[in-house]
Amino acid sequence: MATKYERYPTVSISKTVSVYPKIIHPQKVLNLSNLDRQCPTLMYLVFFYDNPNLLSCDGYKSCNDLSLNSVFNSLKSGLEETLSMWYPAAGRLSLNPNDGKLNLWCNNKGAVLVEATSQVKISDLGDLTQYNEFYEKLVFKPDFDGNDFPRMPLVVGQVTKFGCGGYSIGIGTSHSLFDGPSAYSFLSAWASNSAINTKQTSHDHHQLLITPVHDRATLLTLGNYNSQSGVNNSLLISKIDHVITAANNSNRNNQYDVPQMKARGSVGAAAIDHLLQLLIQASTNGGNIASSSNIFNQKYCSFVFKTFHLSSSLIENLKREVFKDGGFSCSSFEVLAALLWKARTKAMGLRKEAMVCLQFAVDTRNKVAPPLPAGFSGNAYVLASVALAAGELERIRHKAIVEKIRQAKDSVNNDYVKSYMEGVQGPRQASLPPLRELTLVSDWTRMPFHNINFFSSRATHVSPLVPPIPQIAYFMQNPNDDRAVDVRIGLLPDNLDAFCSYFLAAIAQ
């Protein structure tokens, strides 16, 4: 059945070029950490900018007649300059033939930049904060079969000029190359190096002063840590595969093998312990765990993405309400994560005795010993985890949930990161199915992507596209209020109305 977005005219690509570093570096292999290898796919953002020719001349805004060709050439020259310092971004992922692990081959193969046009006006897209399938046409998606890593560029960009004179810049960066903060620094450097800006702001100069550090030595040392707990952590990924396989078979031996794994010991990282327990729970209770990629893709295509706008005043009221009886204060993230977890779990209609889990990303740059250097450009996030019975989660107050979230966050230290990295160790990553019992949250509020000035003003809006894990909830800074939060979450249609009802009721308390 045709979607409502198919009424839009197609996006026409007029130019596709490879972009190489201005300064060529000697080729070398950059060893990746286990955190880099978790998700070797492109993560996409689409930046929207109003017609730059309508902006007034106020000292830094351009009033020149910018053509698509001049914008494209400016982005290209800026990317050439940026790749000179961020040279791994011009490389390719490569499988080590000895252990099957991914590393980064810094071979100067370059990025890809595309020029495109559309007759659509940005105003035709409606509320830009609500995900729109048309956004998928505003990024360049290279052909990739999941295995041919040497052919896959790590950075791709597409500049599209709309019928109204506005622009979008859709950018994909490999998650094996960058996490959120390092992607933010890379894109800020690219914007600062592009000649579209007639005058750089102090923020841009600050980004230029940050020298990226590409070496993963500290995390590689942690990843080589040998546990004395008796658990063979290198087999945890295969254990997850075994749980999934056992859950999808009906023979008695496999049903017996699954619960045995729980008794083999804990790895010390709660996120991985809890994930294994959720998979075991789903298998032993007759759950249908979809290890087949075809089944997963069917579910993936069904997800609906909804954004909720939470003003700064509303968030402050929520924090006061949660702690009206006194005690410590909490962050916006903690209170919103508590409300979302409770609302989503209730919307799933789970058994009260079922184990449910909230997992959220924690930046470890200052949590490992020694701390990662300023400008570290790789992945430095691990997942923290809270687990409760569904009935208990529904019963306890939000204050108690916030306290558990804070405890989980505080538990992430050097030893936790060591255990986590062991837990995700392996020649490849397991393909995890979507679990109704698992709520995932990623906090982007400290990465205001809309402030990245590819033109002479900040973006009207920046939208992430569908992520590899579609049910994840993003907390994003609102472009018009830096203390407000936009919450975007992916849900299956059967759960959408219930979640909206419970979540809106929670924030209206």
Side-chain angles (χ1 to χ4, degrees), residues 5 7-9 119-128 132 164:
Y5 301 114
R7 72 179 186 270
Y8 296 132
Q119 294 304 308
V120 174
K121 297 178 181 178
I122 292 180
S123 60
D124 293 337
L125 301 178
D127 183 357
L128 295 177
N132 184 323
C164 58

Side-chain angles (χ1 to χ4, degrees), residues 191-396:
S192 297
N193 287 328
S194 297
I196 304 172
N197 283 322
T198 56
K199 181 178 179 180
Q200 295 169 343
T201 65
S202 58
H203 172 76
D204 295 324
H205 284 301
H206 174 68
Q207 291 295 337
L208 286 172
L209 292 174
I210 295 177
T211 301
V213 177
H214 306 303
D215 188 78
R216 271 73 163 167
T218 299
L219 290 180
L220 288 172
T221 300
L222 288 174
N224 290 331
Y225 170 81
N226 293 316
S227 173
Q228 302 301 316
S229 65
V231 179
N232 187 351
N233 291 312
S234 65
L235 296 179
L236 281 172
I237 295 300
S238 63
K239 285 184 180 181
I240 291 175
D241 279 343
H242 187 72
V243 171
I244 295 173
T245 301
N248 288 311
N249 290 325
S250 58
N251 68 74
R252 184 174 303 174
N253 288 334
N254 280 334
Q255 289 179 346
Y256 177 74
D257 286 344
V258 172
Q260 274 191 329
M261 292 182 183
K262 190 173 183 179
R264 293 182 185 175
S266 167
V267 302
I272 293 171
D273 287 345
H274 292 164
L275 178 58
L276 285 171
Q277 291 175 47
L278 288 178
L279 291 169
I280 291 167
Q281 172 183 264
S283 65
T284 56
N285 287 287
N288 180 20
I289 302 180
S291 62
S292 164
S293 61
N294 290 331
I295 295 175
F296 176 78
N297 286 334
Q298 291 172 12
K299 288 183 173 291
Y300 175 96
C301 294
S302 300
F303 274 84
V304 178
F305 300 92
K306 180 72 174 176
T307 301
F308 300 86
H309 310 287
L310 309 182
S311 68
S312 55
S313 59
L314 184 148
I315 294 172
E316 290 305 312
N317 288 337
L318 289 173
K319 290 157 72 172
R320 283 193 294 269
E321 178 65 24
V322 168
F323 290 93
K324 61 184 177 183
D325 297 330
F328 62 85
S329 61
C330 67
S331 67
S332 297
F333 170 81
E334 290 165 347
V335 70
L336 294 181
L339 293 170
L340 182 136
W341 184 25
K342 196 166 188 174
R344 182 184 178 277
T345 299
K346 192 173 181 180
M348 294 296 110
L350 301 169
R351 297 175 296 107
K352 292 188 180 299
E353 62 272 20
M355 172 184 171
V356 294
C357 188
L358 169 70
Q359 296 196 347
F360 54 92
V362 176
D363 191 349
T364 67
R365 283 169 170 78
N366 294 314
K367 293 181 179 291
V368 295
L372 298 180
F376 177 75
S377 70
N379 285 271
Y381 277 78
V382 300
L383 291 174
S385 187
V386 183
L388 291 170
E392 182 182 4
L393 176 62
E394 184 175 350
R395 184 178 65 255
I396 64 176

Side-chain angles (χ1 to χ4, degrees), residues 23-326:
I23 299 173
I24 300 297
H25 290 258
Q27 294 192 22
K28 69 174 186 178
V29 173
L30 180 65
N31 290 322
L32 298 179
S33 77
N34 291 341
L35 300 183
D36 295 316
R37 299 183 178 119
Q38 291 184 87
C39 185
T41 58
L42 294 178
M43 304 292 288
Y44 289 96
L45 290 171
V46 179
F47 296 75
F48 291 95
Y49 295 90
D50 291 329
N51 186 343
N53 297 319
L54 299 180
L55 297 174
S56 61
C57 298
D58 62 357
Y60 77 93
K61 292 180 178 179
S62 172
C63 58
N64 296 323
D65 185 14
L66 287 175
S67 67
L68 175 59
N69 185 63
S70 65
V71 170
F72 180 86
N73 288 335
S74 296
L75 289 172
K76 181 175 179 290
S77 63
L79 184 54
E80 289 170 344
E81 187 75 33
T82 306
L83 291 176
S84 297
M85 184 168 287
W86 297 75
Y87 60 88
R92 296 292 185 268
L93 295 177
S94 177
L95 288 170
N96 185 322
N98 296 321
D99 58 17
K101 293 182 179 180
L102 278 176
N103 286 313
L104 207 165
W105 184 16
C106 302
N107 58 4
N108 303 299
K109 289 291 185 180
V112 174
L113 190 60
V114 173
E115 177 188 280
T117 58
S118 175
Q119 294 304 308
V120 174
K121 297 178 181 178
I122 292 180
S123 60
D124 293 337
L125 301 178
D127 183 357
L128 295 177
T129 66
Q130 298 298 336
Y131 172 77
N132 184 323
E133 291 174 17
F134 183 72
Y135 296 172
E136 303 291 337
K137 298 182 179 182
L138 303 178
V139 298
F140 176 69
K141 296 184 177 181
D143 292 332
F144 180 61
D145 63 5
N147 295 303
D148 195 8
F149 289 106
R151 293 175 57 87
M152 181 71 170
L154 302 183
V155 174
V156 297
Q158 176 179 315
V159 55
T160 304
K161 186 171 185 179
F162 289 91
C164 58
Y167 285 86
S168 70
I169 300 176
I171 299 172
T173 57
S174 172
H175 209 331
S176 286
L177 184 67
F178 301 137
D179 62 9
S182 50
Y184 183 83
S185 294
F186 171 79
L187 296 177
S188 296
W190 182 4
S192 297
N193 287 328
S194 297
I196 304 172
N197 283 322
T198 56
K199 181 178 179 180
Q200 295 169 343
T201 65
S202 58
H203 172 76
D204 295 324
H205 284 301
H206 174 68
Q207 291 295 337
L208 286 172
L209 292 174
I210 295 177
T211 301
V213 177
H214 306 303
D215 188 78
R216 271 73 163 167
T218 299
L219 290 180
L220 288 172
T221 300
L222 288 174
N224 290 331
Y225 170 81
N226 293 316
S227 173
Q228 302 301 316
S229 65
V231 179
N232 187 351
N233 291 312
S234 65
L235 296 179
L236 281 172
I237 295 300
S238 63
K239 285 184 180 181
I240 291 175
D241 279 343
H242 187 72
V243 171
I244 295 173
T245 301
N248 288 311
N249 290 325
S250 58
N251 68 74
R252 184 174 303 174
N253 288 334
N254 280 334
Q255 289 179 346
Y256 177 74
D257 286 344
V258 172
Q260 274 191 329
M261 292 182 183
K262 190 173 183 179
R264 293 182 185 175
S266 167
V267 302
I272 293 171
D273 287 345
H274 292 164
L275 178 58
L276 285 171
Q277 291 175 47
L278 288 178
L279 291 169
I280 291 167
Q281 172 183 264
S283 65
T284 56
N285 287 287
N288 180 20
I289 302 180
S291 62
S292 164
S293 61
N294 290 331
I295 295 175
F296 176 78
N297 286 334
Q298 291 172 12
K299 288 183 173 291
Y300 175 96
C301 294
S302 300
F303 274 84
V304 178
F305 300 92
K306 180 72 174 176
T307 301
F308 300 86
H309 310 287
L310 309 182
S311 68
S312 55
S313 59
L314 184 148
I315 294 172
E316 290 305 312
N317 288 337
L318 289 173
K319 290 157 72 172
R320 283 193 294 269
E321 178 65 24
V322 168
F323 290 93
K324 61 184 177 183
D325 297 330

Side-chain angles (χ1 to χ4, degrees), residues 388-417:
L388 291 170
E392 182 182 4
L393 176 62
E394 184 175 350
R395 184 178 65 255
I396 64 176
R397 297 175 58 188
H398 288 113
K399 180 179 179 180
I401 303 172
V402 167
E403 291 171 346
K404 291 181 180 297
I405 291 172
R406 178 166 294 186
Q407 290 168 5
K409 189 188 302 183
D410 292 342
S411 73
V412 178
N413 54 24
N414 196 67
D415 289 338
Y416 186 101
V417 177

